[in-house]
Every structure is written in structure tokens, then in C-alpha cells.
Amino acid sequence: MPEQPADLRSELAAATRILASHHLIGMFGDVSVLTEDPRRYLVGPGAGARKDRCRASDVLELDLDHEFGPGLPLELYMHSEVHRLKPHIRSLIHVHSPALVALAAMAKVPSDLLMLHASFWPATMPVWDEADLVRDRAAAQRLIGILGDEAITLLRWHGAVIVGRTLHEAVFRAILAEEHAGPRGSAPPPPGSGAGNVARCGGSPNPPMTTARTSVTGPPGRNGRGTRPRCRAGRGARRRGRS
């Protein structure tokens, strides 16, 4: 018997609350699931919504060609494009969880398994290296290409995307990925990888991070770029460069 839309909405809302309770998503981060109609999908509310209070009535139903607008997730297109290009992937979860963010800042991501149930962990972790949000369809398609056939890809200095053949599988993987990433991110760096095994940005092995304005009242563009991780030298470094 096919899933009823109301049931799927309730499941997505419950999944959103579960992920929020595990601190995987908060103001930012979102979940989607493909409906029985392969041209339509459900996605949770965008930035500013209380994800820990998400209810079925908060879930949005969109078609694959729906354009970004106020109230929608800032990186909406990663959801639409994964469902378009890989319809066997029924669910995508985008997280900004602490351990996965830390892992995404490492130049060399460890691939060895520490947890039996993390068998979905890639032998070589795919990483989205663009230090910007996935703000358009072209970027989303590049991201899905980097993901390939893996269950997870890291977003450099940003977070991660986790997928599953079902909503339940994606939630299960997201929780385990964060737990698995904790000891991976705190492990000593491999020999020859650099003092902190931190990905370089602008020539600095350990750049301080800043975040651009996160309030968005319109579509992405010159005045609505959302959160963008940036790497820049601190004030002391700039002063030294002038002397």
C-alpha cells in the first residue's frame, strides 16, 4: 500500500525533531524525502524555524523545478537535484553538526571505521571544497556528482550531506555519522599531514573562521547570500603584512 502524504509529512516532521534533539540541525539544516510522485518532494522549513518543534503542518511540498523563496531552506537545490538525478535516493539530510563540521575542516579525512554500524562510511570521503553555500542548481548538481554512490559527503568548513534509500535510513546514518566523526576528528593527525591536519585556505594552515550575515529576506543573490564561511587573516597578520 503506497504511503499516504499525511503519513509521510508526519514522518518527515518527526525525523526533523529527532535530528534536532541530537543537535544535528538547528536554525540551519534540513531534511527532504521524495514522494510517490517522483516529480515532488517534501522538505522541512527553512532558517529561523524551530526544528525541534516541527509538525506536519510545517512541512512543505514542492516540485523539482520549484525555485528558492523566503521561508525555504537556503540550500534548497541540493534537495531537488538529488531527487532529480538520483531518484533511488529517497531522502537527503543536510547538517551543521559539531563533529562533522570539525571533520570537514581536516585536510585529510580519516577513512578507517571505528563503529560497526558506520559501514556506510566511504573508503575515501568525498568533499565539497567550495567555501560557499550550494545556492543554485548548477552547484547542487556538482555536489551530487561529488557524492557519487556514497552515503555521505562533507561540505568544507560547513557540515555534511547524508542520504538514504528511505527517510529512516538517512536519519539512522546521520546520527551514526556524527557519533563516528567525533573520535575521527579528535584523532592525532597522520604523519606528514601537517600540525593540525587542517585544510588550508588562503595559505594559512589554521585560518580563523568568520561567518557572513545569516539573515535572508529574499532569494540568494547579491543581497541574500546567506551564510558563507570565509577564511581571512586576523588583524595582527594584516598589520604585520603592512610593516
Side-chain angles (χ1 to χ4, degrees):
M1 185 178 203
E3 290 177 297
Q4 298 301 312
D7 295 337
L8 195 56
R9 284 175 179 272
S10 295
E11 287 188 14
L12 182 60
T16 300
R17 295 194 302 274
I18 289 169
L19 292 166
S21 72
H22 283 269
H23 306 290
L24 291 167
I25 61 176
M27 177 177 288
F28 298 102
D30 25 79
V31 191
S32 70
V33 62
L34 192 64
T35 69
E36 290 300 311
D37 178 350
R39 296 287 306 171
R40 302 188 70 79
Y41 65 102
L42 304 179
V43 66
R50 283 287 300 268
K51 308 300 173 63
D52 59 334
R53 297 181 180 178
C54 184
R55 294 292 181 264
S57 58
D58 300 317
V59 171
L60 307 163
E61 181 175 348
L62 307 174
D63 64 60
L64 298 181
D65 295 325
H66 197 101
E67 297 295 336
F68 173 84
L72 296 177
L74 292 175
E75 296 178 279
L76 177 72
Y77 297 120
M78 63 172 60
H79 296 281
S80 65
E81 297 313 298
V82 76
H83 297 314
R84 186 194 309 274
L85 299 174
K86 295 179 177 289
H88 63 284
I89 294 176
R90 294 293 303 280
S91 182
L92 180 144
I93 298 173
H94 173 213
V95 303
H96 298 120
S97 49
L100 286 168
V101 169
L103 206 64
M106 297 180 69
K108 182 176 178 59
V109 180
S111 60
D112 48 317
L113 288 171
L114 299 181
M115 295 171 57
L116 174 64
H117 295 299
S119 57
F120 60 86
W121 199 261
T124 301
M125 177 66 73
V127 179
W128 165 267
D129 270 317
E130 300 181 32
D132 202 351
L133 298 179
V134 181
R135 298 178 296 111
D136 54 48
R137 295 189 191 279
Q141 290 166 5
R142 294 197 301 276
L143 171 64
I144 304 310
I146 290 169
L147 174 69
D149 295 326
E150 302 295 352
I152 178 173
T153 185
L154 297 178
L155 308 174
R156 182 70 78 194
W157 310 294
H158 181 154
V161 164
I162 302 101
V163 300
R165 293 162 295 183
T166 66
L167 177 60
H168 294 181
E169 182 178 63
V171 170
F172 183 73
R173 285 174 169 177
I175 293 170
L176 285 175
E178 176 69 3
E179 292 181 0
H180 189 67
R184 291 293 77 221
S186 60
S193 62
N197 191 21
V198 178
R200 291 178 178 269
C201 180
S204 171
N206 190 19
M209 297 298 296
T210 63
T211 303
R213 180 173 61 88
T214 60
S215 174
V216 173
T217 56
R222 188 171 61 182
N223 296 321
R225 294 179 66 85
T227 303
R228 179 180 181 182
R230 301 175 186 227
C231 300
R232 67 188 188 192
R235 293 179 180 175
R238 290 200 296 272
R239 292 195 188 101
R240 288 193 298 273
R242 292 178 183 149
S243 60

